[in-house]
Amino acid sequence: MSIASSNTSMRVPAGFRNLLEGLAREVLREQPADVVAFAAQHFQKLLEQREAGGIDPVAWGAMLDD
């Protein structure tokens, strides 16, 4: 089976790398049995912090990327 290649280049959104590195760090630290559920809880916590007016890790990571 072959997959046609494309000339389209995809860019990683600003702050995405920082967001995933944060998740990876927490997964390695906590060693959860259910990584998907852990990731969902992790991102829910980040969303609640952002909505409460706290730090937005995506915006912060985007500033670091610049």
Side-chain angles (χ1 to χ4, degrees):
M1 176 179 181
S2 68
I3 299 173
S5 64
S6 172
N7 290 337
T8 305
S9 71
M10 297 178 69
R11 292 176 28 120
V12 175
F16 187 66
R17 179 179 173 175
N18 185 54
L19 191 65
L20 289 182
E21 285 175 352
L23 173 63
R25 189 171 31 257
E26 291 302 313
V27 166
L28 292 172
R29 189 168 60 88
E30 295 287 330
Q31 298 287 308
D34 187 345
V35 176
V36 174
F38 181 85
Q41 291 171 353
H42 176 78
F43 289 128
Q44 182 63 40
K45 184 174 20 171
L46 292 178
L47 181 60
E48 289 169 1
Q49 289 174 351
R50 184 180 72 181
E51 289 174 347
I55 297 172
D56 183 353
V58 175
W60 185 74
M63 289 187 326
L64 291 177
D65 289 344
D66 288 342

